[in-house]
Structures are given as C-alpha cells and as structure tokens.
Amino acid sequence: MELRHIRYFLAVAEELNFTRAARRIGIGQPPLSNQIRDLEEEIGASLFRRMPHGAELTQAGQVFLPEARAIVAKAEQAKALALRAARGELGRLRIGFTGSAAFSPIVPSSVRSFRRAYPEIDLTLEEAYTTRLLERLGAEELDAVFIRPGHADPPSFRSHTLAEEAMMIALPSGHPLAGAESLPLSALSGEPFVLFPRTAGPGLFDRIVAACRQAGFEPILGQVAPQITSIANLIAVELGVSVVPSAIAQIRVPGVTYIAIAGDGPVARLTLATRREERSAVVQNFIARVLAAKVELV
Amino acid sequence: MELRHIRYFLAVAEELNFTRAARRIGIGQPPLSNQIRDLEEEIGASLFRRMPHGAELTQAGQVFLPEARAIVAKAEQAKALALRAARGELGRLRIGFTGSAAFSPIVPSSVRSFRRAYPEIDLTLEEAYTTRLLERLGAEELDAVFIRPGHADPPSFRSHTLAEEAMMIALPSGHPLAGAESLPLSALSGEPFVLFPRTAGPGLFDRIVAACRQAGFEPILGQVAPQITSIANLIAVELGVSVVPSAIAQIRVPGVTYIAIAGDGPVARLTLATRREERSAVVQNFIARVLAAKVELV
DNA sequence: TTTGTTCATATCTTAAAGATATCACGCTGC
DNA sequence: GCAGCGTGATATCTTTAAGATATGAACAAA
C-alpha cells in the first residue's frame, strides 16, 4: 500500500464515480480502476460497490474513508513539522550556564527573548561549572553554554564574547577596609581568599590570580566555595575576602560589602560557546538572539 | 511522498546506517540513498547528517521520526479496520421494528445476542409502522426490519419468517363476555373494533378483517389507535374491543381482559425483512443471529 | 432500439524504482 | 605515512509497474 492508493481512494470516495475521480487526479480511468483494485486486494475486502451509474462505498469503504483522510493529513503535517524543525521553530535547545553568568543581565534577557520568539522549542536550562559545561557541550548533552572562558578557547568550540565585566572586591562589612570608596587590588595582599575550585573555572580563577600577581602579591587561597554564589555567604561569616564579577555584586548579602577596584583590575569575560560543527537552526537562532540582546543592553 | 519513502526513512532512522538499512529493506544501498534524497527534497529539509561512519538524525529528522511511525501504524490500522468492517465486525446496523414486534421474545433476544457478539457494531433501533419501515428499508435508511407482513412479500425485499403467533380477543374487563375462557371470533360481531390505521400495517389489518368475515360478520371499525401498544388503553376506557397478537397480550393493562379465540382465529406472522441485494456482512451476521434465536426459542 | 453512461479488460508506452559497478572520503591500524 | 576497510554518493543500465489508449460489456434513459 502506498499513499497513492489512499489518495486515489479518497478521490473515488468523494466523487463516487471512477471516471470523474480519474479526471480530477489527472490520470486515465483504467489505471485508476487498476490501482483501486490493487488496494482492495491488499486490504482483502472491496471498498466500492461498482454500479452502472457510478460507485458507492461498502461498509469497509465507509470505515476506511476517515482513516484514509487522517493518514493523508498526518503525512502533510509530518512534512510541515519537519520543515519547521529545520527552520529552528520546533525542537529542543539545552542551555548551560555558570552560576556567575546567571547574574549577568544578558543571560536571562536573551533566554527570555528566545523563549518568546520560539515558544515551541523545548528549552532546558542547566547550571554547572565552566569545565563541566564544556564537557557536556562536547558530549552533545548541551547545545549552548554561557561560560567564563580561559585565555585560549578550545578549537572544537565556537565562542561569542558577550561582556567584559569589571570585577569588585568583596569584604566582610566589619573589615577595616570596608569603608573605602575604592581599593587597589594590592590592599588584599595577606588576606585569605574565598574562591571556587580552580578546576571548576580555570579561566576566571587564573585571571584573578594573575591580577593579584600583577598587583605585586601572591593571593592566599583560603576557604573553597562550592559555588560562586556561595562566596558571599562565606565572606559574611568572615572566612576571607574575594574578587568577584560585578554582576555577582548584585547579590546583596548582609555582612558583605563590595568595593570597586582602583587601577588595572581583573576583567571577567562572559562568552556563549557552541560546538564548531553545529548546524542546527535552533542553535543558530539562539546565537542570533543572544547577540541581539548584547547590542540592546549596551 | 509515498509510504515507501516513509518506510525507508524509518529503516535508516533505526539503523543509522544506509547500507544496513538497505539490506534490511531488501534493496541496494544506492536506490535507498536516492529515495531518501527525494524525500528530503520534497520536505525541503535534510533528515540525516551523513557521516563517514553512518548517519545521524537532524533536528528535522528527529521531529519526523515519531510522525513517520504514526503514519505507518495508522496505515496498517486502516487496513485492519476495513477488513474487520468487511467481515461484519465493525460498522453500523439500523434496525426497525413495529410496536407489536417488540413484544415477541425473538426480537429483544436476538438483538441482545447480536449486540453481545458484535459489540463494535453501532446499533440503531427505530420503532415505526410496517409500511413506514419498508419504505425506510427500501430507501436504505434502515438495514433490517421486524414487521407484520402482508400476504405478498414485495420482490425487492427478502423475508425470513420468525413466528406465526395466535391472536387473542381484547375486551374491557366490564364487558359481559369478559369472563369467558375462550370465545369464537363471531362473538365480536356488532362490537366496535379499536384498530391501528390500515395504512400502518395492511398485512395484519387485512388478516383480522378477513378472519372476521370468515367468522361470518363484517367488523365495525371504531376508534383508531395511533400505535398498536395504545389499543389496550383505548379498550380500558371502553372504546371498543380488538384482536391482537398474543405477544401484545403481555401488556397487562388494568381494565383489559384477553381471551383466547376458539376455532380458526387469525394468525399474526412476524418476519425479518432485508433488502434483496444486501451484501453487507453485518446484515448477514444479524440475519444469522435472528434465525439462531428463532431455533433456540422453540 | 438506440444512445450515452458506467466500469472492466487488454495491450502498449513510459517513468521511476532498483541493480550493478565505481568513486571519493575518512577512519583505523600497522 | 599509507594500506585497507567501511561509509555514502554518482553514473549507467535493467526491470517493474504506473499510466495511456483502444475497446468491450452492462445498464439506464430517451
């Protein structure tokens, strides 16, 4: 059985006349009769009662009619759905982001904008460290990740720089320096640093350490924060000081004071990474939305 | 697009390898590649990403996959449904019956038995006069009718005799003859008869009149009953007497007494009529059930 | 009866599905 | 680095089956 048989059946069922149905399809009457006969043989039942005046549906034909219509409609729909999926209007997008990226306005605003523009895309959001995100991106478990990149981008990924954020010093409010307007990074020499594990995000980690060295001291690594968002809480209980992207400084935790860095401070880059061989229209559309949001937010 | 394209797509989507899929289908790899290419061109999107190791589904392909499965399944189902309909297991049966037939045990019992045996047949039951039932049967608005036939069966119908019921005299309980064990029909001469209109069921009507004439008198036609079931009510208010099939005598209405007819009384035949050219398996199955019920009820 | 429908049958043509042979590409293993 | 294997694509030929054309049989209406 082929869709042709079903389409021909529908024509005859609607015209109740082989000759007219054949004309409507654009073939001759004998081949149409043949095709219907073949269909009936395959089903094992006759679908039409042939009369001198035309044809009428048998009970089998009457039952087959709505099914036939549904099949043809479903085939059309399948075609349309596949095309929409190819255009990136339909499908799935798995986004990853680091804890700190979530606080950069471009991340929530671009995700929101994409969601509105493509409501039929099944969105998944997942938070993890930069390292883990890149692993999952490479394993095709994620499609696009917002990360804090290192100096060298891995060649199998494509990176889009979204922001170069200044960083700020985070101090316990009771700290002697907490009242300052701004401080040079060197003011933190001798203070224990509360930082995330280097393996979680070597890019940002190394930038902070490098900036300290440039400022003339080696940072003392103290308490390790399991998540970048928990740094503030550890500082509040006076476990040390830190340097965080200014986006993170939005988290106003009682007992923590943020102070601008005077002079050349470290810069936290935020990028969107995708697989270099990525062809999917969904991801392309998402990249376009994110870059549009970047321009808007300037 | 043909079902062939969809079947081939499914094979490749399941094997993720053109060569193996082709082997599974039983054709060569080049024609399979051609068919998939044709399908992709028709849809307007590529469904597979060809790799040196095999193939993988694009987003469009992933969306198309469940649709393709559904289409193939629906086609199989449509075939099976049509076959079941041809076997008379599926479809519709429109049954008609006269008011008096409903009280003959064979009618409810055969309908019930058919309903149990073929639960997926959509049954319609309709009560009307014999004349109207035959009209509707001829117009293909009904498929099988239980009627009280005349002497000559119309040639376009096929009749199955189901029962030859004796008839009984129906009297108001206050009537002087109401106490008798049995009465000859001639006892009713001079009494006004409560009968249904002749046009409603000329067969039964004429039998009653003929029986009266044979008993030596011309029945006086009195009150006309709109339905055979309302004859009893009209007799109860003493509008006359009547002669009814003994099945009807089951309706015990206060104020009505039924008395057996002594000697040669009229006989009420009950038949099942269908169209002579009827081919439908549903109707054939129903006839078989009714005839089986007839044997059982003896 | 004749004429004009209907659909079925028979034969031929043609389009397209499929077979066969070959190629280019990329991975794997020596 | 290069041979060997497995992948899908391309090119050409064959065969199947869809469709065209001509005709026939059955029935209805004029």
Side-chain angles (χ1 to χ4, degrees), chain B residues 160-237:
Chain B
H160 306 265
T161 299
L162 302 180
E164 304 258 355
E165 297 173 71
M167 298 190 80
M168 297 186 89
I169 291 169
L171 295 175
S173 299
H175 193 281
L177 297 172
E181 183 76 12
S182 75
L183 287 169
L185 204 53
S186 55
L188 298 184
S189 81
E191 301 276 354
F193 271 61
V194 176
L195 280 177
F196 48 89
R198 180 177 183 278
T199 49
L204 189 58
F205 189 96
D206 291 353
R207 275 165 188 277
I208 295 169
V209 171
C212 290
R213 286 180 185 151
Q214 211 179 337
F217 70 101
E218 185 72 19
I220 300 162
L221 301 181
Q223 178 67 38
V224 172
Q227 317 242 340
I228 200 162
T229 48
S230 55
I231 287 178
N233 298 313
L234 297 176
I235 291 172
V237 297

Coordinates of all heavy atoms in Angstrom, one line a residue, chain B residues 160-237:
Chain B
H160 N -37.7 -13.3 6.2 CA -37.5 -14.5 7.0 C -38.6 -14.6 8.0 O -38.7 -13.8 8.8 CB -36.1 -14.4 7.7 CG -35.0 -14.1 6.8 ND1 -34.2 -15.0 6.3 CD2 -34.6 -12.9 6.3 CE1 -33.3 -14.5 5.5 NE2 -33.5 -13.2 5.5
T161 N -39.4 -15.7 7.9 CA -40.5 -15.8 8.8 C -39.9 -16.2 10.2 O -39.1 -17.2 10.3 CB -41.5 -16.9 8.3 OG1 -42.0 -16.5 7.1 CG2 -42.6 -17.1 9.3
L162 N -40.4 -15.5 11.2 CA -39.8 -15.8 12.5 C -40.8 -16.5 13.4 O -40.5 -17.3 14.3 CB -39.4 -14.5 13.2 CG -38.3 -13.7 12.4 CD1 -38.0 -12.4 13.1 CD2 -37.1 -14.5 12.1
A163 N -42.1 -16.1 13.3 CA -43.1 -16.7 14.2 C -44.5 -16.6 13.5 O -44.7 -15.7 12.7 CB -43.1 -16.0 15.5
E164 N -45.3 -17.5 13.9 CA -46.8 -17.4 13.5 C -47.5 -17.4 14.8 O -47.8 -18.5 15.4 CB -47.1 -18.7 12.7 CG -46.3 -18.9 11.5 CD -47.0 -18.5 10.2 OE1 -48.2 -18.1 10.3 OE2 -46.4 -18.5 9.1
E165 N -47.9 -16.3 15.3 CA -48.5 -16.2 16.6 C -50.0 -16.2 16.5 O -50.6 -15.6 15.6 CB -48.1 -14.9 17.3 CG -46.7 -14.7 17.6 CD -46.4 -13.3 18.1 OE1 -46.8 -13.0 19.2 OE2 -45.8 -12.5 17.3
A166 N -50.6 -16.9 17.4 CA -52.1 -16.9 17.6 C -52.4 -15.4 18.0 O -51.6 -14.7 18.5 CB -52.5 -17.9 18.6
M167 N -53.7 -15.1 17.8 CA -54.1 -13.7 18.2 C -55.2 -14.0 19.3 O -55.7 -15.0 19.5 CB -54.7 -12.9 17.1 CG -53.6 -12.7 16.0 SD -54.1 -11.5 14.8 CE -53.9 -10.0 15.6
M168 N -55.4 -12.9 20.1 CA -56.3 -13.0 21.2 C -57.3 -11.9 21.1 O -57.1 -10.8 20.6 CB -55.6 -12.9 22.6 CG -54.7 -14.1 22.8 SD -53.9 -14.1 24.4 CE -55.1 -15.0 25.3
I169 N -58.5 -12.1 21.7 CA -59.5 -11.1 21.8 C -59.2 -10.2 23.0 O -58.9 -10.7 24.1 CB -60.9 -11.7 21.9 CG1 -61.3 -12.4 20.6 CG2 -62.0 -10.7 22.3 CD1 -62.5 -13.3 20.7
A170 N -59.3 -8.9 22.8 CA -59.1 -8.0 24.0 C -60.4 -7.3 24.3 O -61.0 -6.7 23.4 CB -58.0 -7.0 23.6
L171 N -60.8 -7.4 25.5 CA -62.1 -6.8 25.9 C -61.9 -5.9 27.1 O -61.1 -6.2 28.0 CB -63.1 -7.9 26.3 CG -63.6 -8.9 25.3 CD1 -64.4 -10.0 26.0 CD2 -64.3 -8.2 24.2
P172 N -62.8 -4.9 27.3 CA -62.8 -4.2 28.6 C -63.3 -5.1 29.6 O -64.1 -6.0 29.4 CB -63.9 -3.1 28.4 CG -64.2 -3.0 26.9 CD -63.8 -4.3 26.3
S173 N -62.7 -5.0 30.8 CA -62.9 -6.0 31.9 C -64.4 -6.0 32.3 O -64.9 -7.0 32.8 CB -62.0 -5.8 33.1 OG -60.7 -5.9 32.7
G174 N -65.1 -4.9 32.1 CA -66.5 -4.8 32.5 C -67.5 -5.4 31.4 O -68.7 -5.4 31.6
H175 N -66.9 -5.9 30.3 CA -67.7 -6.4 29.2 C -68.4 -7.7 29.6 O -67.8 -8.5 30.3 CB -66.8 -6.6 28.0 CG -67.5 -6.8 26.7 ND1 -68.1 -8.0 26.4 CD2 -67.8 -5.9 25.7 CE1 -68.7 -7.9 25.2 NE2 -68.5 -6.6 24.7
P176 N -69.7 -7.9 29.2 CA -70.4 -9.1 29.6 C -69.7 -10.4 29.2 O -69.8 -11.4 29.9 CB -71.7 -9.0 28.7 CG -71.8 -7.6 28.2 CD -70.5 -6.9 28.4
L177 N -68.8 -10.4 28.1 CA -68.1 -11.6 27.7 C -66.8 -11.8 28.4 O -66.1 -12.8 28.2 CB -67.9 -11.6 26.2 CG -69.2 -11.5 25.3 CD1 -68.8 -11.3 23.8 CD2 -69.9 -12.8 25.4
A178 N -66.4 -10.8 29.2 CA -65.0 -10.8 29.8 C -64.7 -12.0 30.7 O -63.6 -12.3 30.9 CB -64.8 -9.5 30.6
G179 N -65.7 -12.7 31.1 CA -65.4 -13.8 32.0 C -65.1 -15.1 31.3 O -64.7 -16.1 31.9
A180 N -65.4 -15.2 29.9 CA -65.3 -16.4 29.2 C -63.8 -17.0 29.2 O -62.9 -16.2 29.2 CB -65.8 -16.2 27.8
E181 N -63.7 -18.3 29.1 CA -62.4 -18.9 28.9 C -61.9 -18.7 27.5 O -60.7 -18.4 27.3 CB -62.6 -20.5 29.2 CG -61.3 -21.3 29.1 CD -60.5 -21.1 30.4 OE1 -61.1 -20.5 31.4 OE2 -59.4 -21.5 30.5
S182 N -62.7 -18.9 26.6 CA -62.4 -18.6 25.2 C -63.6 -18.3 24.5 O -64.7 -18.7 24.9 CB -61.7 -19.9 24.5 OG -62.6 -20.9 24.2
L183 N -63.5 -17.6 23.3 CA -64.6 -17.1 22.6 C -64.4 -17.3 21.1 O -63.3 -17.1 20.6 CB -64.8 -15.6 22.8 CG -65.4 -15.2 24.2 CD1 -65.3 -13.7 24.3 CD2 -66.9 -15.6 24.3
P184 N -65.5 -17.6 20.4 CA -65.3 -17.6 18.9 C -65.2 -16.2 18.4 O -65.8 -15.3 19.1 CB -66.6 -18.3 18.4 CG -67.6 -18.1 19.5 CD -66.8 -18.0 20.8
L185 N -64.6 -16.0 17.3 CA -64.4 -14.6 16.8 C -65.8 -14.0 16.6 O -66.0 -12.7 16.8 CB -63.6 -14.6 15.5 CG -62.9 -13.4 15.1 CD1 -62.0 -12.9 16.3 CD2 -62.1 -13.6 13.9
S186 N -66.8 -14.8 16.2 CA -68.1 -14.3 15.9 C -68.8 -13.6 17.0 O -69.7 -12.8 16.9 CB -69.0 -15.4 15.4 OG -69.0 -16.4 16.3
A187 N -68.3 -13.8 18.3 CA -68.8 -13.2 19.4 C -68.7 -11.7 19.4 O -69.3 -10.9 20.1 CB -68.2 -13.7 20.7
L188 N -67.7 -11.2 18.5 CA -67.4 -9.8 18.5 C -68.2 -9.1 17.4 O -68.1 -7.9 17.2 CB -65.9 -9.6 18.2 CG -65.0 -10.1 19.2 CD1 -63.5 -9.8 18.8 CD2 -65.3 -9.6 20.6
S189 N -69.1 -9.8 16.7 CA -69.9 -9.1 15.7 C -70.8 -8.1 16.4 O -71.3 -8.3 17.5 CB -70.7 -10.1 14.9 OG -71.9 -10.5 15.6
G190 N -70.9 -6.9 15.8 CA -71.7 -5.9 16.4 C -70.9 -5.0 17.4 O -71.3 -3.9 17.7
E191 N -69.7 -5.4 17.8 CA -68.8 -4.6 18.7 C -68.0 -3.7 17.9 O -67.4 -4.1 16.9 CB -67.9 -5.5 19.5 CG -68.7 -6.5 20.4 CD -69.1 -6.0 21.7 OE1 -68.7 -4.8 22.0 OE2 -69.8 -6.7 22.4
P192 N -67.8 -2.4 18.3 CA -66.8 -1.6 17.6 C -65.4 -2.0 17.8 O -65.0 -2.3 19.0 CB -67.1 -0.2 18.1 CG -67.7 -0.4 19.5 CD -68.4 -1.7 19.4
F193 N -64.6 -2.1 16.8 CA -63.2 -2.5 16.9 C -62.2 -1.3 17.1 O -62.4 -0.3 16.4 CB -62.8 -3.3 15.6 CG -63.0 -4.8 15.7 CD1 -64.3 -5.2 15.9 CD2 -62.0 -5.7 15.6 CE1 -64.6 -6.6 15.9 CE2 -62.2 -7.0 15.6 CZ -63.5 -7.5 15.8
V194 N -61.3 -1.5 18.0 CA -60.2 -0.5 18.2 C -59.0 -1.1 17.4 O -58.5 -2.1 17.7 CB -59.9 -0.3 19.6 CG1 -58.7 0.7 19.7 CG2 -61.0 0.2 20.4
L195 N -58.7 -0.4 16.3 CA -57.6 -0.9 15.5 C -56.6 0.2 15.1 O -57.0 1.4 15.1 CB -58.1 -1.6 14.2 CG -58.7 -3.0 14.4 CD1 -59.2 -3.5 13.1 CD2 -57.5 -4.0 14.9
F196 N -55.5 -0.2 14.6 CA -54.5 0.8 14.1 C -54.9 1.1 12.7 O -55.7 0.4 12.1 CB -53.1 0.2 14.1 CG -53.0 -1.2 13.5 CD1 -52.8 -1.4 12.2 CD2 -53.2 -2.3 14.4 CE1 -52.8 -2.7 11.6 CE2 -53.2 -3.6 13.8 CZ -53.0 -3.8 12.5
P197 N -54.5 2.2 12.0 CA -54.9 2.6 10.7 C -54.4 1.5 9.7 O -53.3 1.0 9.8 CB -54.2 3.9 10.4 CG -53.3 4.2 11.5 CD -53.6 3.2 12.6
R198 N -55.2 1.2 8.7 CA -54.9 0.1 7.8 C -53.5 0.4 7.1 O -52.7 -0.5 6.9 CB -56.0 -0.1 6.7 CG -55.6 -1.2 5.8 CD -56.6 -1.5 4.7 NE -56.1 -2.6 3.9 CZ -55.3 -2.5 2.9 NH1 -54.9 -1.3 2.5 NH2 -54.9 -3.6 2.2
T199 N -53.4 1.7 6.7 CA -52.1 2.1 6.0 C -50.9 1.8 6.8 O -49.8 1.6 6.3 CB -52.1 3.6 5.7 OG1 -52.5 4.3 6.9 CG2 -53.1 3.9 4.6
A200 N -51.0 1.7 8.2 CA -49.8 1.5 9.0 C -49.3 0.1 8.8 O -48.1 -0.2 8.8 CB -50.2 1.8 10.5
G201 N -50.3 -0.9 8.7 CA -49.9 -2.3 8.6 C -50.9 -3.1 7.9 O -51.7 -3.8 8.6
P202 N -51.0 -2.9 6.6 CA -52.1 -3.6 5.9 C -52.1 -5.1 6.0 O -53.2 -5.7 6.0 CB -51.9 -3.2 4.4 CG -50.5 -2.5 4.4 CD -50.1 -2.2 5.7
G203 N -51.0 -5.7 6.2 CA -50.9 -7.1 6.3 C -51.7 -7.6 7.5 O -52.7 -8.4 7.3
L204 N -51.4 -7.2 8.7 CA -52.0 -7.6 9.9 C -53.5 -7.2 9.9 O -54.4 -8.0 10.2 CB -51.3 -7.0 11.1 CG -51.8 -7.6 12.5 CD1 -51.6 -9.1 12.5 CD2 -51.0 -6.9 13.6
F205 N -53.7 -5.9 9.4 CA -55.1 -5.4 9.4 C -56.0 -6.3 8.6 O -57.1 -6.7 9.0 CB -55.1 -4.0 8.8 CG -56.3 -3.2 8.9 CD1 -56.6 -2.3 10.0 CD2 -57.4 -3.4 8.0 CE1 -57.8 -1.6 10.1 CE2 -58.5 -2.7 8.0 CZ -58.7 -1.8 9.1
D206 N -55.5 -6.6 7.4 CA -56.4 -7.4 6.5 C -56.6 -8.8 7.0 O -57.7 -9.4 6.8 CB -55.7 -7.5 5.1 CG -55.7 -6.1 4.4 OD1 -56.4 -5.2 4.9 OD2 -55.1 -6.0 3.3
R207 N -55.6 -9.4 7.7 CA -55.8 -10.7 8.3 C -56.9 -10.7 9.3 O -57.7 -11.6 9.4 CB -54.5 -11.2 9.0 CG -53.5 -11.8 8.1 CD -52.2 -11.9 8.8 NE -51.2 -12.3 7.9 CZ -51.0 -13.6 7.6 NH1 -51.7 -14.5 8.2 NH2 -50.1 -13.9 6.7
I208 N -57.0 -9.6 10.1 CA -58.0 -9.5 11.1 C -59.4 -9.4 10.5 O -60.3 -10.2 10.8 CB -57.7 -8.3 12.1 CG1 -56.4 -8.6 12.8 CG2 -58.9 -8.1 13.0 CD1 -55.9 -7.3 13.6
V209 N -59.5 -8.5 9.5 CA -60.8 -8.3 8.8 C -61.2 -9.6 8.1 O -62.4 -10.0 8.2 CB -60.6 -7.1 7.8 CG1 -61.9 -7.0 7.0 CG2 -60.4 -5.8 8.6
A210 N -60.2 -10.2 7.4 CA -60.6 -11.5 6.7 C -61.1 -12.5 7.7 O -62.0 -13.3 7.4 CB -59.3 -12.0 5.9
A211 N -60.4 -12.6 8.9 CA -60.8 -13.6 9.8 C -62.3 -13.4 10.3 O -63.1 -14.3 10.5 CB -59.9 -13.7 11.0
C212 N -62.6 -12.1 10.5 CA -64.0 -11.7 10.9 C -65.0 -12.2 9.8 O -66.0 -12.8 10.1 CB -64.1 -10.2 11.2 SG -63.2 -9.7 12.6
R213 N -64.6 -11.8 8.6 CA -65.6 -12.2 7.5 C -65.7 -13.7 7.4 O -66.8 -14.2 7.2 CB -65.0 -11.7 6.2 CG -65.2 -10.2 6.1 CD -64.6 -9.6 4.8 NE -64.7 -8.2 4.8 CZ -63.8 -7.4 4.1 NH1 -62.9 -7.9 3.3 NH2 -64.0 -6.1 4.1
Q214 N -64.6 -14.4 7.7 CA -64.7 -15.9 7.6 C -65.6 -16.4 8.8 O -66.3 -17.4 8.7 CB -63.3 -16.5 7.8 CG -63.2 -17.8 7.0 CD -61.8 -18.3 7.2 OE1 -60.8 -17.6 7.4 NE2 -61.6 -19.6 7.0
A215 N -65.6 -15.6 9.9 CA -66.4 -16.0 11.0 C -67.9 -15.5 10.8 O -68.7 -15.7 11.7 CB -65.9 -15.3 12.3
G216 N -68.1 -14.8 9.7 CA -69.5 -14.5 9.3 C -69.9 -13.1 9.6 O -71.1 -12.8 9.6
F217 N -69.1 -12.2 9.9 CA -69.5 -10.8 10.1 C -68.5 -9.8 9.6 O -67.3 -10.1 9.4 CB -69.8 -10.6 11.6 CG -68.6 -10.5 12.5 CD1 -68.1 -9.3 12.9 CD2 -67.9 -11.7 12.9 CE1 -66.9 -9.2 13.7 CE2 -66.8 -11.7 13.6 CZ -66.3 -10.4 14.1
E218 N -69.0 -8.6 9.4 CA -68.1 -7.5 9.0 C -67.8 -6.7 10.2 O -68.6 -6.2 10.9 CB -68.9 -6.6 8.0 CG -68.0 -5.5 7.3 CD -67.0 -6.0 6.3 OE1 -67.2 -7.2 5.8 OE2 -66.0 -5.3 6.1
P219 N -66.5 -6.6 10.5 CA -66.1 -5.8 11.8 C -66.5 -4.4 11.6 O -66.3 -3.8 10.6 CB -64.6 -6.0 11.9 CG -64.1 -6.3 10.5 CD -65.3 -7.1 9.8
I220 N -66.9 -3.8 12.7 CA -67.3 -2.4 12.8 C -66.0 -1.6 13.2 O -65.5 -1.8 14.3 CB -68.4 -2.1 13.8 CG1 -69.7 -2.8 13.3 CG2 -68.7 -0.6 13.9 CD1 -70.6 -3.0 14.5
L221 N -65.5 -0.8 12.3 CA -64.3 0.0 12.7 C -64.6 1.2 13.5 O -65.3 2.1 13.1 CB -63.5 0.4 11.4 CG -63.1 -0.8 10.5 CD1 -62.4 -0.3 9.3 CD2 -62.3 -1.8 11.3
G222 N -64.1 1.1 14.7 CA -64.4 2.2 15.7 C -63.2 3.1 15.8 O -62.7 3.6 14.8
Q223 N -62.8 3.3 17.0 CA -61.7 4.2 17.4 C -60.4 3.7 16.7 O -60.1 2.5 16.6 CB -61.5 4.2 18.9 CG -60.3 5.0 19.4 CD -60.6 6.5 19.2 OE1 -61.7 7.0 19.3 NE2 -59.5 7.2 18.8
V224 N -59.7 4.6 16.1 CA -58.4 4.3 15.5 C -57.3 4.5 16.6 O -57.2 5.6 17.2 CB -58.1 5.1 14.3 CG1 -56.7 4.9 13.8 CG2 -59.1 4.8 13.2
A225 N -56.4 3.5 16.8 CA -55.3 3.6 17.7 C -54.1 4.1 17.0 O -53.7 3.6 15.9 CB -55.0 2.3 18.4
P226 N -53.5 5.1 17.5 CA -52.3 5.7 16.8 C -51.1 4.6 16.8 O -50.4 4.5 15.9 CB -51.9 6.9 17.6 CG -52.5 6.7 19.0 CD -53.7 5.9 18.8
Q227 N -51.0 3.8 17.9 CA -50.0 2.8 18.0 C -50.6 1.5 18.5 O -51.6 1.6 19.2 CB -48.9 3.2 19.0 CG -48.5 4.7 19.0 CD -47.1 4.8 18.7 OE1 -46.3 3.9 18.9 NE2 -46.7 6.0 18.2
I228 N -50.1 0.4 18.1 CA -50.7 -0.9 18.5 C -50.6 -1.0 20.0 O -51.5 -1.6 20.6 CB -50.0 -2.1 17.8 CG1 -50.9 -3.3 17.8 CG2 -48.7 -2.4 18.4 CD1 -50.6 -4.4 16.9
T229 N -49.6 -0.4 20.6 CA -49.5 -0.5 22.1 C -50.5 0.3 22.8 O -50.8 0.1 24.0 CB -48.1 0.0 22.5 OG1 -47.8 1.2 21.9 CG2 -47.0 -1.0 22.2
S230 N -51.2 1.3 22.1 CA -52.2 2.1 22.8 C -53.6 1.5 22.7 O -54.5 2.0 23.2 CB -52.1 3.5 22.3 OG -52.3 3.5 20.9
I231 N -53.7 0.4 21.9 CA -55.0 -0.3 21.8 C -55.5 -0.7 23.1 O -56.7 -0.4 23.5 CB -54.9 -1.5 20.8 CG1 -54.7 -1.1 19.4 CG2 -56.1 -2.4 21.0 CD1 -54.6 -2.3 18.4
A232 N -54.7 -1.2 24.0 CA -55.1 -1.7 25.3 C -55.7 -0.5 26.1 O -56.7 -0.7 26.7 CB -53.9 -2.3 26.0
N233 N -55.0 0.6 26.0 CA -55.5 1.8 26.8 C -56.9 2.2 26.3 O -57.7 2.6 27.1 CB -54.5 2.9 26.7 CG -53.2 2.6 27.3 OD1 -53.1 2.0 28.4 ND2 -52.1 2.8 26.5
L234 N -57.1 2.2 25.0 CA -58.4 2.6 24.5 C -59.5 1.6 24.9 O -60.6 2.0 25.1 CB -58.3 2.7 22.9 CG -57.3 3.8 22.5 CD1 -57.2 3.9 21.0 CD2 -57.7 5.2 23.0
I235 N -59.1 0.3 24.9 CA -60.1 -0.7 25.3 C -60.4 -0.5 26.8 O -61.6 -0.6 27.2 CB -59.6 -2.1 25.1 CG1 -59.5 -2.3 23.5 CG2 -60.4 -3.2 25.7 CD1 -58.8 -3.6 23.1
A236 N -59.4 -0.2 27.6 CA -59.6 0.0 29.0 C -60.7 1.1 29.3 O -61.4 1.0 30.3 CB -58.3 0.4 29.7
V237 N -60.7 2.1 28.5 CA -61.8 3.2 28.7 C -63.0 2.8 27.9 O -63.8 3.7 27.6 CB -61.2 4.6 28.3 CG1 -60.1 4.9 29.3 CG2 -60.8 4.7 26.9

